[in-house]
Amino acid sequence: QQQVKQSPQSLIVQKGGISIINCAYENTAFDYFPWYQQFPGKGPALLIAIRPDVSEKKEGRFTISFNKSAKQFSLHIMDSQPGDSATYFCAALAVSGSARQLTFGSGTQLTVLP
Amino acid sequence: DTAVSQTPKYLVTQMGNDKSIKCEQNLGHDTMYWYKQDSKKFLKIMFSYNNKELIINETVPNRFSPKSPDKAHLNLHINSLELGDSAVYFCASRSRLAPLHFGNGTRLTVT
């Protein structure tokens, strides 16, 4: 059962364009929503995160939009650059028993063309 | 200074063998994890472990076992390797107030 659904699977954007990746979740116990960026040969690294008490968080060119009622959140990359080409994972965190476990979306392969 | 380090980076072995992957974190985190990333890049949690509790994903075969000699280390032992075990394995760590930090992965190839 996939608790966090991510789309699209792949995305190609021209340099300077806006990249948008969407995620939806089912479990209302999720209370922390990070995005991870993964370059080839590297582990995922935290990019930006949001809690459900705010609808938007911006850090530089990266913005998370969060819709609690729709149980959806998205990552917007403004002025996309070739260096942004990577795989992006949305995730959600909830208390599960006595441990907090991060559930990942299926990933989006972003390619930014020069 | 690598925060979460894994060795080896690449591991090629034959079916039926037993192998181990080591992981160390120098962040002072209290919880460590093993994730498996398949060929489609999907990340699946295998284990989470702190000093008090081991949480095992019920879908992980019992051929896989984590071993933690101390708070900064969580090694992964795999017995009787199968072709389907080929994947990239990531170690990660976090604490209550810190985000999840990943190592750079171990690419396991079973032939």
Side-chain angles (χ1 to χ4, degrees):
Chain A
Q1 180 184 1
Q2 188 176 356
Q3 295 192 50
V4 179
K5 295 184 179 181
Q6 183 172 346
S7 62
Q9 184 176 356
S10 62
L11 180 61
I12 300 175
V13 174
Q14 293 285 343
K15 178 182 176 181
I18 302 174
S19 303
I20 302 174
I21 304 171
N22 300 300
C23 285
Y25 63 96
E26 296 289 331
N27 189 348
T28 55
F30 289 142
D31 61 0
Y32 177 69
F33 301 87
W35 285 87
Y36 281 78
Q37 180 187 54
Q38 184 181 22
F39 293 106
K42 301 292 185 181
L46 180 66
L47 184 64
I48 186 173
I50 196 168
R51 294 197 180 276
D53 53 347
V54 297
S55 60
E56 185 176 284
K57 183 173 181 180
K58 183 176 181 179
E59 290 185 1
R61 297 184 294 107
F62 300 90
T63 300
I64 300 178
S65 297
F66 187 83
N67 186 329
K68 187 174 181 178
S69 60
K71 292 188 287 186
Q72 295 175 347
F73 59 109
S74 60
L75 176 69
H76 292 65
I77 306 175
M78 311 299 289
D79 187 26
S80 299
Q81 300 296 311
D84 296 331
S85 297
T87 301
Y88 292 80
F89 295 92
C90 62
L93 184 67
V95 173
S96 176
S98 59
R100 291 176 66 83
Q101 298 191 17
L102 203 59
T103 300
F104 284 90
S106 54
T108 296
Q109 177 70 53
L110 172 65
T111 302
V112 181
L113 301 176
Chain B
D1 292 343
T2 303
V4 180
S5 59
Q6 303 178 222
T7 56
K9 186 170 178 64
Y10 300 97
L11 182 55
V12 181
T13 188
Q14 292 183 330
M15 285 176 55
N17 286 348
D18 302 337
K19 289 294 179 184
S20 296
I21 306 172
K22 296 184 177 181
C23 178
E24 176 182 5
Q25 55 96 4
N26 62 6
L27 296 166
H29 289 166
D30 57 10
T31 306
M32 297 184 72
Y33 304 81
W34 278 104
Y35 281 84
K36 179 180 181 180
Q37 186 171 49
D38 62 23
S39 58
K40 296 183 178 180
K41 300 279 185 80
F42 189 71
L43 278 163
K44 178 182 175 182
I45 189 168
M46 301 177 71
F47 305 100
S48 67
Y49 183 80
N50 62 24
N51 284 337
K52 300 177 182 178
E53 191 171 15
L54 171 66
I55 305 292
I56 302 173
N57 185 321
E58 61 185 13
T59 65
V60 175
N62 57 16
R63 298 181 294 103
F64 291 79
S65 58
K67 299 267 193 280
S68 181
D70 56 58
K71 191 176 179 179
H73 297 82
L74 183 66
N75 303 324
L76 181 65
H77 296 270
I78 315 170
N79 295 324
S80 302
L81 278 156
E82 300 178 356
L83 292 176
D85 297 332
S86 296
V88 181
Y89 292 85
F90 286 98
C91 177
S93 72
R94 71 183 302 271
S95 62
R96 184 174 176 82
L97 299 178
L100 195 63
H101 279 78
F102 284 86
N104 283 328
T106 296
R107 180 173 294 277
L108 172 65
T109 303
V110 182
T111 62

